[in-house]
Amino acid sequence: MSARVVGVVLAAGAGRRYGKPKVLVDDWLTTAVTALRDGGCDDVILVLGAAEVPPPPGVTAISAPGWRDGLSASVRTALAHAHLLQADYAVLHVVDTPDVGAAVVARVLKRALASQSGLARAYFNDRPGHPAVLARRHWPAVLATLRGDQGAAAFLRGRDDVENVDCTDLATGRDIDEP
């Protein structure tokens, strides 16, 4: 039986430094969704908050009620929905890394699926980035570490069984905070 993988586009923020919610930037949402779909995700969830946009076809849009609290609220909302979908893995991706494509997602997901821990994250020039893949069995521990504008990073940093997947040859992984 194959694992059910849910991709998550984290796009709830207001984008204060950018000047508008980044989910409104031309093509970024489409790029993130395409990366997840073509990278191996069975379903895609779009987490919204500051701006409501129609989801691309086949994507489930959900609102993070506490989005103003930061990334933690989005991850919490996403994992709750992934649980309802009976997903085995969640691939967390952010809307503001437009050069991260399907090849990055596929590489990181493949390593997570092959690993004992079921945990993997992309690295770009020795810097952690997105996507991050979390096996379902870790979600309660991830949820316990979520605070403010931190996503799963604190959980992943505290472990020695995370597959750090170099993707420097595929993308910069740079999140764009300013226009």
Side-chain angles (χ1 to χ4, degrees), residues 2-158:
S2 64
R4 183 175 174 92
V5 178
V6 172
V8 176
V9 179
L10 300 168
R16 286 182 300 278
R17 288 177 287 176
Y18 196 85
K20 67 180 177 182
K22 297 176 195 174
V23 72
L24 300 175
V25 177
D26 291 341
D27 298 325
W28 284 9
L29 176 57
T30 301
T31 299
V33 167
T34 300
L36 291 169
R37 275 195 183 133
D38 293 352
C41 297
D42 300 306
D43 298 292
V44 177
I45 299 167
L46 168 62
V47 183
L48 297 170
E52 296 295 323
V53 299
V59 173
T60 301
I62 57 176
S63 291
W67 66 267
R68 285 179 182 84
D69 295 336
L71 192 57
S72 62
S74 295
V75 173
R76 190 173 289 109
T77 301
L79 292 180
H81 197 77
H83 178 78
L84 293 175
L85 293 175
Q86 299 181 350
D88 299 303
Y89 292 85
V91 180
L92 303 181
H93 190 31
V94 290
V95 75
D96 62 350
T97 55
D99 77 332
V100 172
V104 172
V105 174
R107 184 181 287 176
V108 177
L109 180 57
K110 181 178 177 183
R111 284 280 291 279
L113 293 172
S115 74
Q116 290 285 347
S117 68
L119 298 169
R121 81 180 309 177
Y123 262 71
F124 306 93
N125 291 317
D126 297 323
R127 182 180 42 83
H130 288 89
V133 180
L134 310 170
R136 180 186 184 103
R137 67 183 174 272
H138 298 291
W139 298 353
V142 171
L143 292 169
T145 63
L146 294 175
R147 304 279 183 278
D149 204 28
Q150 292 291 316
F155 170 80
L156 294 171
R157 245 190 329 269

